[in-house]
Amino acid sequence: MALQLFSYHARLAVKSLRRDPGLSVTIVIVMAVVAGMFFTALLHYLRFNAPSPLLSPGLHHVEVGLPDGKVFSVFTGTVAEPNAIVGRLRVSYPIYRRLAGSHIPTRETATFRSRLLIRRAGAGSPDVGAAELPFGSEEPSGRPRNARFVNADFFDLFDVKLRSGAPWTRDQEANGKAVVVLSKLLASELFPKGDGLGAFVLINESPFQVVGICANEQPTVPEWDRASAGGPQDLAYLPFLTHVRLSAFPEMPIHMSTLGPRYADLLASDDIFVSYWLDLPTPEARRAYEQYLAAALGPLGLPYELRDFVGLRRAFPTPWTPVSFFLFLTLVILVGGGLIMARLLLAKGLARSDELGIFRALGAPRRSLFVRQLLEAALLSGVAGVLSVLIAAPQAYFYNTVVADTDIPVRLTPLSFLITLFATLLVGVLFALYPAWRAASRPPTISLGRH
Amino acid sequence: MLDMRNVRKVYRAGLVETEALSGATLKVNRGEFLAIMGPSGSGKTTFLSVAGLLDSFEEGDYWLDGENVRHLSDQRLSKLRNQKLGFIFQSFNLIPDLDVFDNIDVPLRYRGMPAAERDTRIEETLAKLGLVARMRHLPGQLSGGQQQRVAIARALVGRPQLLLADEPTGNLDSASARQIMDLLARINSEEGMTIIMVTHDHEFAARAHRKLHILDGKLIDPNSSTSGPG
């Protein structure tokens, strides 16, 4: 019976939209405008803060201090400062080698980002086929692009999905196989007429075979290296050890001491930083790794902390950015829209007071009229939520066409639409509670004008 | 059917108190047709509101079909209104954006009746009141007399035990008013439905079994030497 009444009230709510059309349209327009603003801000927020995929609960990270305090003298500050995060989320290359030497059979990945010259093999001079990037330094030999060195387990550990192909295997990596996974963006740029799978690209003039293409845009502040400087997304993923063959410098080498002339001197120094992750899916695995850390780092007197992913997010919360502030502001505006809606709903309830009185006289209990009023509010705010696309879509188009500040476009996604719809519905229903209660609890004699 | 004893109803507006019913006492038997008359402001509408469970009262007791309604919850009162009472208002009070069929359907919806049974009942009631041809019309497309017949159909469709009519002919021309009165008299005589009707019209009041007057919130039986005919 409850379901029957619910659908009956839903039908009446639809009909009642035609009653007081002026008020209904005003409510929808007000809510659609504020929801559109929220939608717009959300699109920008999600562009830089893509929601994390469901990562392995065993994913762990080790924060390690460096000897002599020399790094920390550079990276002094609060955790909200990017440099402080760099200092704490990455470890020096020699320390990384210690962290990765446990021989515990588990999935693991190290990663750092470099800027490399990438072009399609046989495409002529280095900068042939290289599209204009919105920003980034230009060098005489071509255009450097963001490339990231990762281990074979990386794609699985961080749930980085591929559109086609598959990541390289551990064996291929150990054998120094020259393979690459391209981002969706770079694949479409280098191979506009096909997928590019199996083709060769030249990276710093060395041939690498394309074994996979990413399914999605890559995040500018990725979970696996939140200390990344942002800017353009990572365009290629390379087997970690190939950084030696390519003599790849990290994107932000911080020279703390005089280096020797060889690439190995750089790696032996404390001047190159790497993020290191490993999967410790069971308490036993975690205990074993803790013992290993105590043995490997303890004698060096290095402070360290092993954290799971949840603990890491707690220790390094996402800092406020102008975009997140903008999102917060539009949320406040959305709530303001809810207040206006509440006022209009009160007026609407008053205008239809006689009708509600008739329903009460015919046996409708207060509760059922309350639900009906809420349904009507949900309907109005739902329509507004859908119409908010009409504000967000042109804005996104305009932004991508005129501003285009990075290579990740502002995109309307089903997720952003659903979040906006949900937020608009939630605000609409919450702010309809009081008007609905007022309308439903009005004595039927007053509604019917009987005294 | 209805047993009201010493019911007192007071309206308050700031410091001003108006006693709309002062010790109203009344007993109405099943199948009875009762007319209540009185000047404007005498408490007729308040009496019908209290009798129809649309309004509460401060003192006294009221049994409807054997159940004391004084302290019942909103849920229970709504159920009683839905199942035992039918209302006919002077201004018809039809829902303007529901057609005739859907207007008559409203009380049945709150009974949780299956759709097929609802349809049958509504069609029977429409046929009885000669409204079949109008069932997909909106109230605004009907004459006053037709609208009141729809209101009566809506009141009857749930087969209530007590029909409360508040000046049912007040907004109608004399021919339509007479038709409505004939209809009410027929419902009472053929179906044995208890009817309490408030009216200003002596001619129509004369068609009831019993006639009461209401004055300053008190019910008076003109055929009795004391007030409170119960």
Side-chain angles (χ1 to χ4, degrees):
Chain A
M1 179 186 171
L3 194 66
Q4 256 185 8
L5 259 186
F6 187 84
S7 71
Y8 180 57
H9 284 153
R11 200 159 65 86
L12 289 178
V14 173
K15 273 182 180 285
S16 74
L17 283 184
R18 281 178 294 187
R19 185 87 63 85
D20 316 313
L23 269 178
S24 300
V25 168
T26 308
I27 290 172
V28 169
I29 288 175
V30 167
M31 288 304 284
V33 168
V34 293
M37 291 167 77
F38 174 76
F39 199 169
T40 300
L42 183 67
L43 293 179
H44 286 271
Y45 181 81
L46 289 178
R47 192 161 65 120
F48 296 108
N49 301 277
S52 306
L54 275 179
L55 302 177
S56 161
L59 195 61
H60 278 71
H61 174 271
V62 191
E63 179 188 348
V64 185
L66 287 178
D68 309 329
K70 60 183 180 182
V71 167
F72 290 113
S73 70
V74 172
F75 297 137
T76 299
T78 67
V79 290
E81 289 177 15
N83 278 351
I85 294 178
V86 171
R88 296 177 65 191
L89 288 178
R90 294 175 179 172
V91 293
S92 69
Y93 201 87
I95 294 294
Y96 145 66
R97 292 173 88 141
R98 281 180 182 268
L99 296 182
S102 70
H103 300 297
I104 292 176
T106 185
R107 297 180 299 171
E108 62 175 352
T109 187
T111 180
F112 73 88
R113 186 160 86 174
S114 185
R115 291 182 61 82
L116 306 175
L117 302 172
I118 307 174
R119 67 186 177 95
R120 188 173 168 174
S125 63
D127 50 358
V128 170
E132 287 289 327
L133 292 174
F135 61 79
S137 60
E138 185 164 352
E139 293 170 2
S141 56
R143 295 175 197 285
R145 297 158 188 268
N146 284 345
R148 181 170 286 282
F149 295 97
V150 295
N151 290 110
D153 293 333
F154 164 81
F155 299 91
D156 193 22
L157 274 176
F158 287 99
D159 197 24
V160 175
K161 292 193 166 43
L162 301 190
R163 180 178 75 194
S164 54
W168 56 88
T169 63
R170 285 183 179 195
D171 286 343
Q172 286 174 325
E173 185 171 341
N175 294 333
K177 184 100 171 158
V179 288
V180 61
V181 169
L182 297 183
S183 74
K184 179 178 159 185
L185 190 69
L186 186 59
S188 64
E189 183 191 316
L190 297 182
F191 305 99
K193 289 180 183 169
D195 207 24
L197 202 63
F200 280 83
V201 293
L202 295 179
I203 301 179
N204 282 6
E205 297 305 300
S206 291
F208 280 72
Q209 188 173 24
V210 178
V211 292
I213 312 287
C214 292
N216 304 308
E217 306 284 356
Q218 296 308 291
T220 51
V221 186
E223 292 292 355
W224 44 90
D225 194 4
R226 288 179 64 213
S228 284
Q233 59 183 295
D234 295 341
L235 294 175
Y237 293 99
L238 299 159
F240 189 77
L241 289 178
T242 56
H243 73 82
V244 179
R245 183 198 306 180
L246 295 168
S247 298
F249 276 68
E251 62 172 340
M252 286 185 2
I254 298 164
H255 301 297
M256 303 301 302
S257 54
T258 311
L259 292 177
R262 298 169 306 143
Y263 185 67
D265 295 328
L266 177 70
L267 298 184
S269 74
D270 287 338
D271 299 348
I272 174 169
F273 295 94
V274 175
S275 289
Y276 176 71
W277 299 84
L278 80 168
D279 191 25
L280 301 171
T282 62
E284 293 74 33
R286 183 176 165 126
R287 265 197 300 279
Y289 192 67
E290 277 169 344
Q291 283 170 6
Y292 168 76
L293 282 181
L297 299 180
L300 301 177
L302 297 176
Y304 65 90
E305 185 149 2
L306 176 65
R307 294 188 182 96
D308 61 14
F309 192 72
V310 176
L312 187 74
R313 290 309 296 262
R314 208 178 296 128
F316 297 95
T318 307
W320 274 77
T321 62
V323 174
S324 36
F325 178 73
F326 182 40
L327 181 65
F328 173 73
L329 199 65
T330 55
L331 192 63
V332 172
I333 293 170
L334 185 62
V335 168
L339 280 169
I340 297 173
M341 179 174 171
R343 190 71 196 85
L344 294 172
L345 283 175
L346 272 173
K348 201 170 163 62
L350 202 63
R352 293 174 41 217
S353 143
D354 54 342
E355 182 193 322
L356 298 178
I358 298 167
F359 274 90
R360 294 276 281 141
L362 297 177
R366 260 188 225 121
R367 192 176 56 194
S368 122
L369 291 187
F370 178 74
V371 170
R372 186 179 143 190
Q373 299 291 302
L374 285 188
L375 270 174
E376 206 172 312
L379 193 69
L380 289 167
S381 49
V383 171
V386 172
L387 291 181
S388 67
V389 173
L390 297 180
I391 290 174
Q395 181 281 333
Y397 175 77
F398 178 78
Y399 195 88
N400 292 336
T401 312
V402 178
V403 183
D405 56 347
T406 78
D407 60 353
I408 301 181
V410 177
R411 281 222 175 98
L412 266 75
T413 57
L415 176 72
S416 56
F417 174 71
L418 288 177
I419 292 175
T420 304
L421 188 61
F422 177 75
T424 314
L425 274 173
L426 187 70
V427 167
V429 171
L430 280 180
F431 281 90
L433 286 175
Y434 177 66
W437 174 78
R438 276 281 300 268
S441 57
R442 203 171 161 81
T445 45
I446 293 180
S447 299
L448 290 166
R450 288 172 70 82
H451 62 71
Chain B
M1 179 70 236
L2 178 148
D3 189 355
M4 212 179 253
R5 292 180 198 168
N6 299 315
V7 168
R8 185 167 173 264
K9 171 72 192 173
V10 175
Y11 290 117
R12 291 184 179 85
L15 295 174
V16 181
E17 282 194 357
T18 308
E19 194 169 40
L21 287 181
S22 44
T25 297
L26 173 68
K27 195 166 185 174
V28 180
N29 296 317
R30 205 173 286 273
E32 202 174 349
F33 188 169
L34 176 73
I36 296 179
M37 300 188 73
S40 295
S42 58
K44 300 187 301 291
T45 298
T46 302
F47 168 76
L48 270 198
S49 296
V50 170
L53 311 179
L54 293 172
D55 213 347
S56 59
F57 50 95
E58 276 73 29
E59 288 174 23
D61 284 299
Y62 170 21
W63 283 268
L64 178 66
D65 200 23
E67 183 170 1
N68 191 336
V69 301
R70 176 134 190 219
H71 299 294
L72 293 182
S73 66
D74 175 70
Q75 194 77 15
R76 180 67 192 151
L77 288 172
S78 301
K79 199 167 180 182
L80 284 176
R81 274 199 298 272
N82 181 254
Q83 297 187 342
K84 300 205 170 179
L85 300 175
F87 289 94
I88 303 169
F89 301 101
Q90 179 179 357
S91 50
F92 324 133
N93 278 342
L94 299 175
I95 314 286
D97 49 10
L98 296 185
D99 63 24
V100 167
F101 189 96
D102 286 343
N103 258 290
I104 298 172
D105 190 26
V106 172
L108 300 185
R109 287 282 183 168
Y110 291 97
R111 283 199 191 181
M113 203 177 264
E117 196 181 336
R118 284 201 321 267
D119 290 353
T120 310
R121 275 234 203 159
I122 295 167
E123 280 158 16
E124 279 173 14
T125 312
L126 283 169
K128 193 161 38 177
L129 293 173
L131 288 164
V132 173
R134 305 283 179 191
M135 70 183 198
R136 288 301 163 201
H137 284 63
L138 289 171
Q141 298 168 314
L142 304 175
S143 69
Q146 286 169 333
Q147 287 192 48
Q148 194 59 300
R149 273 196 287 155
V150 175
I152 293 172
R154 187 177 64 185
L156 294 180
V157 75
R159 294 175 190 159
Q161 292 167 13
L162 175 61
L163 195 59
L164 298 165
D166 187 4
E167 304 210 35
T169 57
N171 278 359
L172 301 177
D173 60 74
S174 56
S176 301
R178 203 153 289 123
Q179 283 174 4
I180 293 298
M181 273 315 297
D182 290 344
L183 185 60
L184 289 178
R186 204 175 74 212
I187 291 164
N188 173 253
S189 61
E190 289 178 6
E191 299 181 19
M193 187 172 292
T194 315
I195 298 177
I196 299 179
M197 177 179 71
V198 161
T199 181
H200 273 112
D201 193 304
H202 288 277
E203 182 196 337
F204 294 149
R207 299 183 68 169
H209 301 153
R210 186 152 64 108
K211 190 163 71 175
L212 293 180
H213 286 277
I214 188 164
L215 194 64
D216 298 331
K218 289 187 172 67
L219 285 164
I220 301 161
D221 186 347
N223 300 320
S224 161
S225 53
T226 55
S227 68

